[in-house]
Amino acid sequence: MTAIEPRLGFLIEGSTDGGGADTGKSGHGAASGEPPEGTEASAALAFARDVVGEVETVTLAAVAAGDVDLDRFDALWWHAYDPVSDPATVADCAEPIRAFLADGGGIFCSARALAQVSALGIDPVPPDATGTEEVTDPVGPLWHPLYDGHPAVDGLDGLRHHIRPAGSTAPYARYEDVLPERADVLASTYRGVEDVPREVTVLQWRIGSGTAIGVGVGMEFAQHDDETTEATRERFAADVIRWLAGANEYDTALATGRPKSGREFERYRDALSGDRDRPSYHVTAPVNWLNDPNGMLHHDGTYHLFYQYNPAGPYHHSVHWGHAASEDLVHWEDRPVAMSPEPGGPDRDGCWSGCAVAVDVVEGSDGETDRVVPAGDVDDAGDAGDAVTATDVPVAEADADAVHALYTGGRDGWQRPCLATATDADLTGFETAETNPVVRSPPPELDLSSTPGEPAHFRDHCLWYEDDRWHQLIGAGLQDRGGAAVLYTSRDLREWTYEGPALVTEEADSGVVWECPELLRFPEADLLHVSDYEDVRYFVGAFDADDGRFRVDDEGVLDPGAFYAPQSLSTPDGRTITVGWLREERSAASQWDAGWSGAMSLPREIEVVDGELRQRPAREVDRLRGPRLIDGTRTAGSTPHRLDATGEAFEVRARLDPGDGVVALRVRESPDGTERTTVRIGGDRAVVDRSESSLDRDARDSAVGVCVDDLERPLDVRVFVDASVLELFVNGRRALATRIYPTRHDATGISLSTVPSGTVDTDDASDENEVGRADADSSGDCVGSRNRVEVDLSVWRMKNAWPIGVDEPRRVDPE
């Protein structure tokens, strides 16, 4: 390529007999022609010639026939305003254009040309939404913040750009229900004053050493315009052309196409590491959207955490299975995406939540079908035809015959169970079963609820082996009734028998759907939990495998905060570890601007003791502790005591007996107190008061709390703060996780104080009037002295859980 005088080939539909002036210069054998005056193509061509000095028109027919030497161009631009008239010719262009790209060329496909990326061999998945629409509001790209340094937006401020005014009809091509297989999503759609992330319109592909850019919105040059949108569009289009033609240099380390390697995901993490809201020792996606944990298991010495992941942006749509792996449950590394929707499969619209199990296959005899059993649970010394029984001598995990994932495939609103098998021992990819879905349709005898776009709420899976067969729970919603956990059984994970509801909402609660059911078996009792859009509800009791029903002895809310859709695994030493999704509690626009959304909770040890659900941080969490900032006894009094410790990622452990008063631990506190989050311990509750957590009014600020009135004193309180995540544990029994979003860089302080008895109702922790008066009382009078509490206190700075910055704090805490 020549950086001084780049050459651009302007592609048009036409025939090899010319049809216009030959600007190809004799000797090259290119059939060229000028588009008719007054057309969109002629206007785009004139614009291109204002941008790049040497522009030559080239017909697609000439490219297909091999009559043009593409190598003499630095880049190609195909601007298709009208529908393609000759699809066969476009398909014949695929081989020469791919060869041109592989050798370092570039191609710009704008307007309807974006719809032809599959025919050109650029991506096997074409846009699923093309046509013409009324432009009722100005429209343009909603740029992904990860690529804010991209040359296509050089000189454009911000992430939201209008490049087409209102008041006309315009062609479009975009991805809506599906995503491309190989592209980086550079932008979605900004329409009027609204973000429309599900309309994916600007994409980039890396093919060999070349690049393809597709823009399916706002690319018109002959239509009515206004000054602002015209200037923005022309700057945007000119930037794309100049870059593809070699006039601009750009480090494409972040835009390398999909799938991504672990090393590429590390670059994403590094690019977002300056975000002060982004957790450093909790699991997050490297970029974009994360929700439910999936497929959690310990296999061949490694913990695997899969999760719902959208590679297109920080919003819930077209989910894949992201993948993180750990040797110790707390230090993690990114793995490539493990499962992606298949364009022609039952999971086309998303690979939704599910579970994973390691299995052995026991050969049948006398014509019997092979049996699939949990790895290590089969006495291999027995005859193959014997009844399969469990053994106390498990085989090594590496000897498992396979790892299967049972997940929900989404297509056209339907949600059906699908099966996939890991393709290697590292679980880096899964191959879906040809017979998917393994349950063809929901049980007809269930009157399942529905909503627009979802004909039946029937999804998410829990899997266990008992009485020589597999049991599966599926979450559901029943019309005019409420949530249900539905039971199926199987011998081989492929053929399933419906057994009926295992548990249904006791009292009718219309509109409720139970998602992500999970049954956990403990020596004293069984625990079944479900997620109902708002809370994680749990039921303590017993599951009866003979009649397929769960008997409830007690119930409650597992975590009253932002904790949702938990999933569990068993450690080699027999503990049950649970992780939940911590949803964002700020605006969708804030999530887009950040470039990421969602985090996982710290791993929790969960059990049922004396009929009570208990939760505490997994013992491995202690390995994340860095320098101890405070170790000793501090006195909490009515005058706030600011601790000699600051931070955005730390753990506080406090042993205290608040007596009749309340101890207030303030974290992420600015020096003047305008931002702070207060954890109040006393009375019958421990409450996280978020009323002053953030100056951002879009962040949720309601208080959340757990009961502590039945817990022994002194209370053992552990508070984990990790940027926008706060997790609270009391006495290794109660837990809650929530989100906070301080805006001030100096909101890093920690302080202690007390509130006199009777001045604070901890059920309504947002009442700051009395709290403020108590904080201001520095007279040391008898009221204050009666409310002095000795607190055994430790504070640790926490290490990063990811490879970058593991040994040092990611952010520098201001003093």
Side-chain angles (χ1 to χ4, degrees), residues 366-385:
D366 301 329
E368 292 182 0
T369 303
D370 290 350
R371 299 285 300 280
V372 177
V373 299
D377 277 359
V378 179
D379 185 357
D380 290 330
D383 294 332

Side-chain angles (χ1 to χ4, degrees), residues 321-345:
W321 272 32
H323 186 191
S326 173
E327 302 301 315
D328 63 1
L329 272 177
V330 290
H331 293 97
W332 297 89
E333 65 177 28
D334 292 305
R335 297 282 179 87
V337 170
M339 196 186 311
S340 300
E342 294 187 347

Side-chain angles (χ1 to χ4, degrees), residues 462-467 469-473 487 518-529 539-546 548-551 568-570 574-578 606-609:
C462 170
L463 194 61
W464 76 98
Y465 192 78
E466 183 174 359
D467 290 346
R469 57 181 178 168
W470 292 96
H471 293 68
Q472 175 190 180
L473 287 180
L487 180 66
E518 184 175 61
L519 178 70
L520 300 173
R521 317 299 292 272
F522 297 104
E524 292 189 15
D526 297 332
L527 175 71
L528 172 62
H529 66 73
F539 306 92
V540 175
F543 174 77
D544 188 330
D546 291 333
R549 300 295 181 267
F550 188 91
R551 185 190 71 250
S568 308
L569 58 77
S570 295
R575 292 172 293 144
T576 299
I577 300 294
T578 290
I606 188 170
E607 59 184 342
V608 176
V609 178

Side-chain angles (χ1 to χ4, degrees), residues 271-311:
L272 298 178
S273 63
D275 185 345
R276 298 174 69 91
D277 289 324
R278 187 158 162 86
S280 61
Y281 63 89
H282 285 72
V283 170
T284 55
V287 69
N288 298 323
W289 175 268
L290 167 151
N291 66 296
D292 305 358
N294 296 154
M296 288 182 59
L297 79 165
H298 184 263
H299 177 68
D300 200 12
T302 300
Y303 292 99
H304 295 271
L305 169 58
F306 303 93
Y307 54 86
Q308 298 281 273
Y309 173 65
N310 179 10

Side-chain angles (χ1 to χ4, degrees), residues 704-759:
V704 288
V706 292
C707 291
V708 298
D709 59 334
D710 60 333
L711 302 183
E712 61 275 9
R713 269 44 174 187
L715 297 174
D716 181 10
V717 179
R718 298 179 71 178
V719 177
F720 295 88
V721 174
D722 189 9
S724 60
V725 169
L726 187 152
E727 294 196 68
L728 168 69
F729 297 87
V730 184
N731 283 32
R733 294 167 70 176
R734 307 291 152 75
L736 73 83
T738 190
R739 305 300 299 273
I740 57 175
Y741 303 96
T743 63
R744 291 181 48 157
H745 282 223
D746 59 356
T748 60
I750 307 172
S751 68
L752 275 175
S753 68
T754 60
V755 177
S757 175
T759 62

